[in-house]
Amino acid sequence: MQAATGNPTVLLDPVVAPRIAVTRLVAGLLQGLLLYWLYSTAQDKAWPATEPYLLAPLILMGLLLPVLLVSSLGHMSLRRIGVWMAGASLVLTVLALHDVSRGAEQVIWGGYKPGAPLRVISAQLFGFCVVGFYMAHALVLASAQDGRRLASYPTYFEIAWKLGIQLLFSLLFVGVLWLVLWLGGQLFLLIKLNFLKKLLGQAWFMIPVLCFAFSFAVHITDVRPSIVRGIRTLLLVLLSWLMPIAAVLVAGFLLTLPFIGFERLWATRHAASVLLGMAGLLVVLINAAFQNGEAGLGVARGIRFGTRLSCLLLPWLVGIAIYAVMLRVIAHGWTSERIIAGACLLVASCYAAGYAWAASKYGDWLNWIANVNVGTTFIALLVMLVLLTPLMDPARLSVASQMARLNSGQVSADKFDFEYLRFQGARYGQAALQELKHYKGPEAAVIRARAEAVLQREDRFDDSGALSDVAINLTMRPATSKLPASFLQQDWSQAEPGWRLPACLKRAGQQCDAYLLDFDGDGRQEVLLISNDPRATSVLLAEKEEGGWYARGQIPGNILRCKRLREKLQAGEFALVPPTVRELEVDGQRVPMTLFNEQEVLCPED
């Protein structure tokens, strides 16, 4: 425990009573039994698995509450543990109920079998809960250890890093245990004994064993805090020496950017995620060097310089990331991913502004970082909480943004992403599609048809059966041209090979631009389909002599990823020209030539 003195840096190894060890192991075993019970009811489609508003809270609490309990035992009073468990249960229940009500749950056990699939909490909810409760649990444990609502920063530092290392090593222990059991099963198979292999395939054995092992690992790492502290110290020392390297790389990037230009950065389409990831790495490295704030002048000069420089560079990284996200929002509106990215950037902005302020104080060793870390932790918890409630539900806000763009005419029907509403908009997207079935604005017929078609799909990648009307997914270029009747009557679900066909011929909600062109000059027109998804491959379709259409060629998707080229193509500003290199003919067989530099000079934006 922490010594009750003015200098809160001395931490004594706690003495854990045997009853605490037994309680932790029993908690782990009970967690395994609870999760197995939920698993078995899901497999049998029995109560409570048939009640999603009951199943979701039980699963979420069954996964997280025992971990919080095991970690709390021995460090908090029973009364404080009871209050903490009750509060955590209430929050988890509310979040799980909202997750079910919004209809964004995931298909789980038994979903691949005949019958209605079972659905539970979304991956987004579970991920945010793991991160959020890790942070909240560290705050609660630190408060209990110091005996006050706001603990000292060294206590926060000790608890947070200890918990992180405990979780990582406990997961590693569980993974190695599974590997040992699996290899043991393979050993027995060598002598024709398969009892262990069969045992490892039984949920009633594996789920309780893995949960018990996790609790055991948490207990072992808890009663040997000196070992954990040694690992943490070594890890922080190694990470801190990466700080100068990271600082130089970021500085070089920022200095090069004005000369190269921002266009190349925006053309990557993932600049914001890379910038945000680098900003997060800098925050980790800065804290690895800062540690509990008491190292001071004992830190090596190179690390001190790199840390201060990184603090000053952090606002630039975050600022460029914010600008990148806003450019995407202006061009394509808000999506759930962009809203979550915006929330992350809000938290990153707090770190960036606070760290830059701390670095501007040259008379101390970045002491303001301690206050920034604690304050930003509370802000991050609040941000995650509102994202998981109706207040700032990313699905609700993104659907509203996309619908506003459609209603205002900012996006046309052929560019509107109906699939996003269906499969990423939760219940808000379903409601929006129901509204679009009765749409009366511009391009009403196309919008109504596409909304109704995508509502009939149960799965994003469901290719079973042909579309009732392929023309719903196709936008003619120019609009006055018409597809051949044989093309529209083709049963594309039976066309071979199916993997060459674009998604717009198989699934509702996938749009393609269609061009009628005579590529080979034989007087018969082929159909060039260019998907609105720039990552997809565009396909040239031709009609056989005996009837029926097939995929004859393709244009790599990365060539048409250039926005300017696609716009010129849609405007009809192109021409069919003979190849620049003639083909070889050997024994009556044509051998085409592929030019290696052909794709490197096509995009004017590069």
Side-chain angles (χ1 to χ4, degrees):
M1 300 293 291
Q2 182 174 320
T5 64
N7 185 358
T9 61
V10 180
L11 294 172
L12 304 178
D13 290 356
V15 178
V16 179
R19 60 182 178 82
I20 297 297
V22 173
T23 307
R24 285 172 170 171
L25 297 180
V26 169
L29 183 59
L30 292 177
Q31 179 190 25
L33 294 175
L34 171 63
L35 292 178
Y36 168 68
W37 175 60
L38 295 175
Y39 174 84
S40 61
T41 58
Q43 289 282 24
D44 299 335
K45 294 181 173 59
W47 186 91
T50 55
E51 301 292 337
Y53 283 97
L54 179 59
L55 179 65
L58 285 176
I59 288 179
L60 196 57
M61 288 191 290
L63 289 171
L64 298 181
L65 277 186
V67 179
L68 299 178
L69 176 62
V70 168
S71 179
S72 300
L73 290 170
H75 299 288
M76 298 167 59
S77 65
L78 292 179
R79 178 181 175 277
R80 190 184 289 264
I81 290 176
V83 173
W84 174 222
M85 292 300 103
S89 300
L90 178 62
V91 173
L92 290 172
T93 300
V94 171
L95 296 182
L97 292 177
H98 170 64
D99 197 60
V100 174
S101 70
R102 68 197 290 269
E105 65 275 35
Q106 302 291 306
V107 178
I108 57 158
W109 310 307
Y112 59 89
K113 296 180 180 179
L118 292 160
R119 302 174 182 273
V120 290
I121 56 175
S122 64
Q124 174 183 298
L125 172 63
F126 181 72
F128 274 121
C129 283
V130 169
V131 175
F133 274 93
Y134 164 76
M135 299 166 64
H137 191 54
L139 295 175
V140 171
L141 284 180
S143 174
Q145 182 163 303
D146 276 8
R148 55 185 185 181
R149 292 185 178 179
L150 290 179
S152 61
Y153 185 74
T155 305
Y156 285 132
F157 171 81
E158 289 284 340
I159 296 295
W161 279 96
K162 175 188 173 184
L163 283 178
I165 293 174
Q166 275 187 297
L167 291 175
L168 289 177
F169 274 84
S170 297
L171 291 172
L172 177 63
F173 177 79
V174 171
V176 173
L177 171 64
W178 181 87
L179 180 63
V180 169
L181 293 174
W182 181 80
L183 288 176
Q186 297 302 308
L187 281 177
F188 280 102
L189 280 178
L190 295 177
I191 55 176
K192 307 303 180 183
L193 296 176
N194 62 354
F195 71 96
L196 186 54
K197 180 184 177 182
K198 288 184 177 180
L199 193 61
L200 295 179
Q202 300 298 317
W204 62 264
F205 174 77
M206 287 305 298
I207 295 178
V209 164
L210 295 181
C211 291
F212 181 86
F214 184 85
S215 296
F216 177 78
V218 171
H219 173 71
I220 293 300
T221 55
D222 196 54
V223 298
R224 296 290 187 270
S226 57
I227 298 177
V228 174
R229 197 173 301 126
I231 295 172
R232 183 206 68 203
T233 301
L234 176 61
L235 178 63
L236 292 178
V237 169
L238 292 174
L239 288 177
S240 64
W241 279 105
L242 296 176
M243 172 55 67
I245 300 175
V248 170
L249 290 175
V250 173
F253 167 77
L254 293 175
L255 289 174
T256 305
L257 199 56
F259 300 97
I260 299 299
F262 287 88
E263 289 77 12
R264 291 189 180 183
L265 195 64
W266 311 145
T268 62
R269 300 177 183 272
H270 59 267
S273 58
V274 174
L275 292 167
L276 186 56
M278 191 64 196
L281 178 62
L282 283 186
V283 170
V284 172
L285 295 180
I286 289 170
N287 281 280
F290 182 71
Q291 298 191 24
N292 63 1
E294 298 185 346
L297 297 177
V299 179
R301 182 174 299 176
I303 296 176
R304 288 171 58 85
F305 173 78
T307 304
R308 194 177 294 274
L309 177 61
S310 296
C311 290
L312 295 174
L313 295 177
L314 195 56
W316 292 95
L317 275 183
V318 175
I320 296 173
I322 292 174
Y323 185 58
V325 170
M326 293 312 300
L327 284 180
R328 298 294 291 174
V329 170
I330 293 172
H332 305 287
W334 288 101
T335 62
S336 295
E337 292 80 7
R338 291 177 194 133
I339 291 172
I340 293 174
C344 293
L345 287 170
L346 173 62
V347 175
S349 299
C350 296
Y351 280 116
Y355 284 12
W357 174 256
S360 67
K361 306 293 183 181
Y362 290 100
D364 54 35
W365 168 229
L366 306 175
N367 290 334
W368 271 92
I369 285 181
N371 297 327
V372 172
N373 285 344
V374 176
T376 305
T377 299
F378 285 101
I379 293 175
L381 286 173
L382 180 61
V383 169
M384 283 187 281
L385 185 62
V386 298
L387 284 176
L388 297 175
T389 60
L391 294 175
M392 293 287 290
D393 190 317
R396 180 179 66 84
L397 297 180
S398 62
V399 168
S401 171
Q402 296 301 321
M403 289 294 291
R405 284 168 48 81
L406 179 64
N407 292 327
S408 64
Q410 289 181 270
V411 60
S412 58
D414 61 298
K415 299 292 181 61
F416 189 72
D417 194 347
F418 294 87
E419 265 198 342
Y420 179 83
L421 298 185
R422 177 69 178 88
F423 299 108
Q424 293 178 261
R427 66 179 174 89
Y428 313 105
Q430 313 303 315
L433 287 171
Q434 293 292 342
E435 291 181 11
L436 292 180
K437 287 173 60 177
H438 309 285
Y439 187 77
K440 296 182 179 179
E443 302 179 285
V446 175
I447 291 175
R448 289 197 298 266
R450 290 180 177 175
E452 188 168 359
V454 79
L455 275 171
Q456 295 175 1
R457 288 175 51 194
E458 293 295 331
D459 184 84
R460 179 185 291 273
F461 304 105
D462 180 17
D463 291 340
S464 59
L467 286 172
S468 58
D469 186 4
V470 173
I472 293 175
N473 286 359
L474 305 180
T475 301
M476 297 305 302
R477 305 288 184 181
T480 54
S481 57
K482 292 184 179 181
L483 289 168
S486 59
F487 184 92
L488 297 175
Q489 295 167 3
Q490 171 90 14
D491 184 1
W492 295 104
S493 64
Q494 303 299 322
E496 295 292 343
W499 60 271
R500 291 188 182 276
L501 300 177
C504 58
L505 293 178
K506 299 180 285 186
R507 298 194 293 267
Q510 294 279 344
Q511 276 81 55
C512 288
D513 288 339
Y515 298 83
L516 281 177
L517 302 168
D518 184 4
F519 270 84
D520 52 15
D522 63 352
R524 302 177 64 182
Q525 290 185 316
E526 288 82 29
V527 178
L528 176 64
L529 295 183
I530 299 179
S531 174
N532 281 359
D533 182 358
R535 297 167 296 181
T537 300
S538 301
V539 179
L540 178 67
L541 301 163
E543 190 173 12
K544 302 176 185 178
E545 292 289 344
E546 63 274 16
W549 291 74
Y550 69 102
R552 183 175 181 180
Q554 67 180 28
I555 299 176
N558 60 337
I559 294 181
L560 293 177
R561 211 169 278 173
C562 176
K563 181 180 178 182
R564 182 175 172 184
L565 287 180
R566 289 175 64 87
E567 290 176 348
K568 285 186 174 293
L569 192 62
Q570 292 171 354
E573 300 178 20
F574 64 87
L576 294 178
V577 296
T580 56
V581 176
R582 288 181 289 182
E583 298 177 344
L584 291 174
E585 185 176 351
V586 183
D587 193 24
Q589 299 292 324
R590 284 180 169 272
V591 182
M593 182 71 66
T594 300
L595 302 182
F596 295 120
N597 64 345
E598 187 176 7
Q599 300 176 19
E600 297 178 3
V601 294
L602 286 179
C603 186
E605 296 174 5
D606 290 343

